[in-house]
Amino acid sequence: MSMTLVEKIIADHANLAEVHAGEIVVVHPDLVLANELSGILAIETFFRHGRDHIFDPDQWVFVPDHFVPARDIRAANTARRFREFAYENGIQKYYELGRGGIEHVLLPQEGLIWPGALVMGGDSHTCTYGALGAFAIGVGSTDLAALMVSGELWLSVPETVQIVYRGTPSPWVEGKDMILYTLGQIGGDGAHGQVMEFHGALLRTLSAADRFTMCNMAVEGGAMTGIIPPDAVTQAYIVAHGNKYYDEKALSTTYGNAHKIIDIDITGLEPQVAQPFSPANSVPVSAIGDVPLDQVMIGYCTNGRLEDLRRAAHILAGRSVHPHTRLLITPGSQQVYQQASAEGLLDIFLAAGAMISPPSCGACLGGHLGVLGAGETALSTTNRNFVGRVGDVKSRVYLSNPTVAAASAVAGRIIAPQELPGLVSHPQQVIPTTELWSPLEVTA
Amino acid sequence: MIEGHVWKYGDNVDTDVILPGRYVSLTNPADLAQHCLEDLDAEFAQHVRPGDIIVAGSNFGCGSSREMAPLAIQGSGISCVIAASFAPIFYRNAINIGLPILVTQQVAAETKQGDILNVDLLTGRVENVLNRRIFQAEPFPLLLNDIIRSGGLLPYLTNNRQGLK
């Protein structure tokens, strides 16, 4: 019986010849991620059950990124205990502040993710790594504690739904718009417990940054994770970042198998904006109406990569943030921050009147570094706009791509970028002039 | 057998409203319980009684993987969460920490706020005490049943030294 890409990856990590959707299996992940919040609860659970040293320190990566730099004394003590546990257990892949960043930008950049890898992380957006052809899922803290005990964990093998994009969108469309539109089409629970496997001619030409953004938000469609079968773009990324070798031939036998196929026609698609209070509540930016903005947030794990900051800088160069609006820029990692500095992007942001935040999950989850007050409205490039997500229960959050966010910061209300005078083209049009070679076209 | 009053909610109750991000640095269930469902139903934490039951629609616990959300529910004394479906990570978390959950579309569709349910967790039988209607929840896979019977994943691993099988 043929397997899907994800079934193949799971079988390889369960020591089984075949696995199929619906089965419960025990897998040994290549990599397990903890941040200081999911990690501290796991560490407490681990100790409470009489354990002291973890099964395999090399399996782990520890990234403090949520409430750091410490927002208060409790957060400082959480980060301290998390750090001490890493040191005591000999976890080499511990990324201190100033040498790391936001986990989902950091891990691929550090070469820790590769096609065919099985990754578990104590964070729901672990699904981001599917962009490189890994099977990566978010788990809870007791899951992490069990992985500390034995290095393995149970898993329900998911079905795969192929999302196949057809047609050519407007030149202002980015990966963020494709995933927001997809969520709008299928709903916030449209891929319940399944894997969203992304396909289509346009997808093959998307940059790795756009792919990370898309897979990052698979969980917002109710999916267990998202994945993109590896191709030339994947190959170029992993060569550039020193990621591990993978067996392309073994994986490629599984491409094309799926439990369900959903066609998404993106012909003429406009940039999308998700309205409160669901990422699946997306509409074209032209239909958004008059939405004045108190705050605009660009960056984070969804859109905090160098390509994203370049797009924002292209819009903001020579322009100023609206007097009634605050703009926060949060680079996804220390490396992104440094590269943005070297390219002069930070100078553009500062001159425009933006505030640059350290790489941290920060306000995205209502933690610190820019949470919203009662009645305030924000446009954000993050992944969630649930009630109270970014601060006060009476605040409202809209979601968009970085280009729309930057243009809207200038206008002080949500606008399409081309509404700004003097802006003629997208800074980094995602539809390239030459098609990249790819063996993986889905013809179904 | 458990019996309790129903707190009824709709579809897509996310973990941000179950336990808002501003409180996720708390880890003690009793502390978390003070903020349980704060951004969805401010009445809940004040009036919930031990043994009460949450009944919800589809995709309960979607969003963040924060285990503080099921811990807050557990700390509130909720005896069982019954939903038409659970988000994948919340489902894992509830089973792993020993918070009883049952999956059934019917109970979600036919139960009101304030109803009294009688629940047999071993068989998945649910009875509405007010109108004597009886429902049957979906069974759990074998391994998950064993984890549930052990009271959670870490107790299971303590009882089964050879690990997950």
Side-chain angles (χ1 to χ4, degrees):
Chain A
M1 209 172 146
S2 59
M3 289 189 285
T4 65
L5 173 55
V6 159
E7 286 169 340
K8 165 70 178 156
I9 296 172
I10 294 172
D12 287 348
H13 291 82
N15 233 338
L16 296 167
E18 282 194 21
V19 303
H20 295 285
E23 295 172 8
I24 302 271
V25 296
V26 177
V27 294
H28 185 97
D30 296 299
L31 191 73
V32 184
L33 161 73
N35 60 53
E36 87 276 19
L37 294 181
S38 61
I40 202 68
L41 194 49
I43 291 165
E44 288 180 0
T45 303
F46 184 71
F47 286 151
R48 196 169 59 245
H49 287 86
R51 311 290 179 146
D52 46 19
H53 275 75
I54 69 175
F55 180 77
D56 177 12
D58 292 338
Q59 193 179 18
W60 289 80
V61 53
F62 269 37
V63 184
D65 64 357
H66 274 60
F67 286 179
V68 290
R71 66 165 190 174
D72 56 20
I73 294 168
R74 174 184 287 275
N77 282 319
T78 296
R80 175 182 57 77
R81 291 160 60 209
F82 183 68
R83 181 186 307 114
E84 286 170 357
F85 184 86
Y87 289 167
E88 284 161 10
N89 279 277
I91 293 169
Q92 301 295 314
K93 294 187 282 288
Y94 169 84
Y95 289 91
E96 191 51 274
L97 303 194
R99 278 146 278 172
I102 302 172
E103 50 200 11
H104 306 312
V105 176
L106 181 70
L107 266 55
Q109 167 202 298
E110 292 298 306
L112 298 175
I113 309 295
W114 63 91
L118 195 153
V119 182
M120 290 177 163
D123 190 278
S124 60
H125 294 112
T126 301
C127 55
T128 308
Y129 315 136
L132 294 183
F135 174 66
I137 64 168
V139 297
S141 294
T142 298
D143 284 320
L144 295 182
L147 284 157
M148 288 173 178
V149 171
S150 68
E152 59 183 19
L153 196 60
W154 67 271
L155 177 71
S156 172
V157 180
E159 290 186 349
T160 291
V161 51
Q162 282 183 356
I163 310 281
V164 184
Y165 295 100
R166 300 188 190 284
T168 303
S170 91
W172 297 91
V173 159
E174 302 172 9
K176 184 63 164 286
D177 305 298
M178 289 171 64
I179 190 65
L180 288 177
Y181 182 68
T182 304
L183 295 171
Q185 294 293 300
I186 69 170
D189 195 24
H192 187 87
Q194 297 172 311
V195 174
M196 291 167 75
E197 189 182 280
F198 299 108
H199 289 270
L202 178 68
L203 193 91
R204 302 265 70 91
T205 69
L206 284 185
S207 71
D210 284 293
R211 295 174 178 206
F212 285 123
T213 301
M214 292 185 69
C215 288
N216 177 272
M217 293 190 71
V219 67
E220 317 309 338
M224 188 183 282
T225 190
I227 195 165
I228 298 178
D231 60 11
V233 173
T234 323
Q235 189 69 36
Y237 185 94
I238 68 169
V239 167
H241 294 82
N243 308 49
K244 197 169 151 179
Y245 168 81
Y246 70 104
D247 187 349
E248 213 283 326
K249 203 176 273 180
L251 293 182
S252 64
T253 59
T254 63
Y255 303 162
N257 299 328
H259 300 89
K260 187 179 169 190
I261 295 174
I262 297 177
D263 277 304
I264 306 261
D265 184 1
I266 48 173
T267 304
L269 186 72
E270 276 183 60
Q272 302 286 302
V273 175
Q275 306 175 99
F277 293 97
S278 164
N281 194 15
S282 56
V283 295
V285 63
S286 64
I288 202 71
D290 186 28
V291 182
L293 296 170
D294 298 292
Q295 181 163 300
V296 174
M297 300 153 65
I298 297 175
Y300 308 91
C301 73
T302 315
N303 281 110
R305 296 173 185 83
L306 189 62
E307 292 86 336
D308 298 308
L309 299 189
R310 284 177 185 153
R311 290 167 183 173
H314 177 84
I315 304 287
L316 291 164
R319 296 188 172 89
S320 296
V321 175
H322 190 275
H324 296 164
T325 305
R326 312 177 294 269
L327 173 58
L328 300 180
I329 308 266
T330 302
S333 70
Q334 184 82 358
Q335 188 185 95
V336 170
Y337 204 136
Q338 287 177 303
Q339 289 170 334
S341 173
E343 291 188 13
L345 308 184
L346 301 186
D347 290 336
I348 292 172
F349 298 145
L350 294 170
M355 174 168 268
I356 303 172
S357 163
S360 169
C361 305
C364 170
L365 78 157
H368 61 149
L369 298 168
V371 302
L372 300 172
E376 288 196 314
T377 300
L379 177 63
S380 177
T381 68
T382 52
N383 41 39
R384 291 194 177 125
N385 57 350
F386 299 147
V387 172
R389 169 75 181 180
V390 182
D392 193 278
V393 67
K394 291 197 175 69
S395 61
R396 295 169 65 82
V397 177
Y398 293 76
L399 306 176
S400 78
N401 75 31
T403 309
V404 170
S408 300
V410 172
R413 60 187 176 86
I414 299 178
I415 63 162
Q418 58 271 44
E419 289 180 48
L420 279 185
L423 198 66
V424 289
S425 69
H426 188 281
Q428 211 184 16
Q429 199 169 322
V430 296
I431 307 154
T433 48
T434 54
E435 194 94 343
L436 282 165
W437 174 84
S438 165
L440 310 171
E441 279 326 312
V442 170
T443 50
Chain B
M1 287 290 214
I2 53 180
E3 194 165 290
H5 283 80
V6 168
W7 293 82
K8 179 73 192 292
Y9 301 105
D11 295 338
N12 300 312
V13 174
D14 62 75
T15 50
D16 273 281
V17 294
I18 297 173
L19 196 279
R22 53 193 178 273
Y23 306 122
V24 291
S25 56
L26 302 173
T27 55
N28 182 323
D31 297 337
L32 290 163
Q34 292 179 24
H35 305 288
C36 188
L37 286 161
E38 185 171 294
D39 283 359
L40 179 66
D41 179 359
E43 299 285 297
F44 178 87
Q46 290 172 28
H47 299 297
V48 65
R49 285 170 296 182
D52 282 358
I53 294 168
I54 290 175
V55 176
S58 62
N59 206 24
F60 186 86
C62 61
S64 164
S65 61
R66 64 188 66 157
E67 198 164 291
M68 298 80 179
L71 280 176
I73 292 173
Q74 195 174 47
S76 301
I78 286 289
S79 60
C80 180
V81 183
I82 304 175
S85 67
F86 290 89
I89 306 175
F90 188 96
Y91 181 85
R92 300 186 67 90
N93 286 346
I95 289 170
N96 287 344
I97 69 168
L99 170 68
I101 57 170
L102 289 176
V103 180
T104 145
Q105 302 218 347
Q106 264 193 317
V107 172
E110 300 178 31
T111 304
K112 302 187 305 296
Q113 174 83 15
D115 280 1
I116 299 169
L117 297 182
N118 183 296
V119 179
D120 184 343
L121 290 171
L122 286 176
T123 63
R125 182 181 177 278
V126 179
E127 181 179 356
N128 189 322
V129 174
L130 301 186
N131 60 20
R132 296 289 161 202
R133 291 213 48 181
I134 291 168
F135 308 93
Q136 181 61 46
E138 293 172 17
F140 288 99
L142 207 59
L143 172 63
L144 304 196
N145 236 341
D146 289 346
I147 295 172
I148 292 164
R149 299 274 184 281
S150 301
L153 184 55
L154 270 290
Y156 175 94
L157 288 176
T158 301
N159 299 341
N160 298 270
R161 288 285 168 180
Q162 75 280 19
L164 286 159
K165 282 292 166 287

